[in-house]
Amino acid sequence: MIPYSLLDLSPIPEGGDAGQSMRHSLDLAQHAEQWGYLRFWLAEHHNMPGIASAATAVLIGYVANGTRTIRVGSGGVMLPNHSPLVVAEQFGTLESLFPGRIDLGLGRAPGTDQLTARALRRNTTHDTADTFPQDVEELMAYFDEPRPGQRLRAVPGAGLKVPVWLLGSSLFSAQLAASLGLPFAFASHFAPGFMRQAVDLYRRTFRPSESLARPYVMLGLNVFAADTADEAARLFSSLQQQFLALVRGTPGRIKPPVDDIESMMSETEAAHIRRSLACSVVGDPDSVLLGMQRFVDDLRPDELMITAQIYDHAARLRSFELAAQAARSLTRPVPL
């Protein structure tokens, strides 16, 4: 069986609020634990009306406190928004409270617009690629055992060896993850354009490290499952509407599903959304299993990160339950 995990953005639907969304995230995590998901990750976004996970470390603590065994982490923390020391202290705190259950996924995008990036006290005078590799290494060093005479430490954090992942949608993070010997998660669920090149680059250039002997790839996959194909397609329309709003520069809360999404957008908009959401499996249980197996056979990920932005919480629970049932039936491809 291939490991399967869950990415949640703690979506805020129209008519809902952030507090309700966070409680729904905890409820989803508790169900995911029962359904066999390995990890439950939350993502940092800012100034996004439909996403409640901005204070990612705080929400991770809330979810970890309400679960028992599932790993909880970030998918990811946007490191350019923070000092490495602060992130080390936050995740050192989480690891101290929930030992052996915390993951730290790192991204180099701001997770927001330039106006909000400046409000986050980021240094916007240079490309984050200039400092991201050094920031990652500095952060990882805070989790090492302190050296004699070391004056600056993460407390808590030092010596805790919190697992670090690199996240990305380009070749940059793939190459960095390979050079540092870290596991790599690709954001194929919304930006699949460089997926194949990035995975190939990571695997070809991977250097074993103290924490990881072989390359380890996680791929994001949208899975919208329902008891009928028509209902799954309706559920998927909420995510399509969310991307349409982003294309038009009008982000908002998660909208209710519609029956005819194609009539709401131009051909150019539809083509863009199809490209962005190409890594999506939508349908009834049988077609979802078939689609997920094709994805695994084609890309050969070491782990799946399943996600779905669904308006109705009960429908969201059902979708992730069906996705878990399918994931447990997946067979690993024969090694090349």
Side-chain angles (χ1 to χ4, degrees):
M1 185 182 75
I2 184 170
Y4 57 98
S5 297
L6 194 159
L7 173 64
D8 179 35
L9 301 186
S10 197
I12 307 175
E14 287 189 348
D17 58 46
Q20 178 191 61
S21 294
M22 294 174 195
R23 290 186 289 274
H24 283 167
S25 288
L26 175 57
D27 184 52
L28 176 59
Q30 290 168 337
H31 281 85
E33 190 170 65
Q34 299 171 13
W35 295 330
Y37 285 89
L38 176 61
R39 311 175 203 276
F40 187 93
W41 279 8
L42 294 144
E44 177 184 350
H45 293 81
H46 300 280
N47 197 28
M48 298 290 285
I51 298 175
S53 54
T56 315
V58 178
L59 193 52
I60 288 171
Y62 171 66
V63 170
N65 191 55
T67 51
R68 296 185 301 107
T69 58
I70 195 168
R71 297 191 66 89
V72 188
S74 60
V77 161
M78 302 297 107
L79 190 53
N81 296 337
H82 314 278
S83 79
L85 177 60
V86 168
V87 176
E89 291 171 340
Q90 290 174 346
F91 279 77
T93 299
L94 290 167
E95 177 65 21
S96 298
L97 291 169
F98 311 104
R101 293 181 54 209
I102 300 299
D103 295 324
L104 173 54
L106 299 172
R108 73 181 182 111
T112 188
D113 56 84
Q114 288 301 310
L115 177 65
T116 310
R118 286 192 291 271
L120 288 165
R121 304 296 192 269
R122 291 181 64 245
N123 182 349
T124 57
T125 60
H126 61 271
D127 189 339
T128 56
D130 291 341
T131 61
F132 183 70
Q134 292 82 5
D135 289 345
V136 170
E137 292 190 87
E138 178 185 344
L139 172 53
M140 292 172 60
Y142 288 127
F143 292 135
D144 288 340
E145 293 291 344
R147 299 181 304 275
Q150 181 178 333
R151 298 179 60 190
L152 180 59
R153 303 182 184 186
V155 182
L160 294 183
K161 302 289 187 181
V162 176
V164 173
W165 291 68
L166 287 193
L167 282 54
S169 58
S170 68
L171 304 185
F172 182 95
S173 292
Q175 190 168 23
L176 181 60
S179 68
L180 295 177
L182 294 175
F184 178 56
F186 192 86
S188 38
H189 59 292
F190 73 88
F194 290 99
M195 173 178 59
R196 294 180 188 276
Q197 299 97 309
V199 170
D200 177 66
L201 176 66
Y202 170 72
R203 285 175 169 155
R204 281 191 296 104
T205 61
F206 179 84
R207 300 176 184 173
S209 66
E210 180 182 333
S211 58
L212 192 63
R214 300 178 57 195
Y216 192 93
V217 174
M218 176 193 289
L219 295 180
L221 181 66
N222 297 298
V223 178
F224 286 73
D227 294 314
T228 68
D230 287 344
E231 178 58 21
R234 286 190 81 254
L235 297 179
F236 187 49
S237 71
S238 291
L239 179 61
Q240 292 169 303
Q241 290 180 80
Q242 189 179 23
F243 270 72
L244 180 60
L246 290 174
V247 168
R248 294 175 176 176
T250 58
R253 297 188 175 189
I254 308 301
K255 294 182 179 296
V258 296
D259 291 319
D260 187 12
I261 184 67
E262 296 295 331
S263 67
M264 301 175 63
M265 49 186 152
S266 69
E267 290 184 10
T268 301
E269 291 169 333
H272 174 82
I273 292 170
R274 281 195 296 271
R275 287 193 300 271
S276 298
L277 301 179
C279 291
S280 299
V281 176
V282 182
D284 60 24
D286 289 340
S287 58
V288 162
L289 173 57
L290 180 62
M292 291 175 67
Q293 187 66 62
R294 285 174 174 167
F295 184 81
V296 168
D297 290 344
D298 184 21
L299 282 306
R300 298 172 178 265
D302 298 290
E303 186 173 334
L304 287 177
M305 179 57 79
I306 298 169
T307 187
Q309 294 281 77
I310 294 176
Y311 174 79
D312 178 72
H313 183 58
R316 187 162 72 128
L317 290 176
R318 179 59 175 160
S319 180
F320 279 112
E321 180 183 17
L322 293 173
Q325 291 173 5
R328 288 195 294 271
S329 299
L330 295 175
T331 58
R332 284 186 179 273
V334 176
L336 294 173

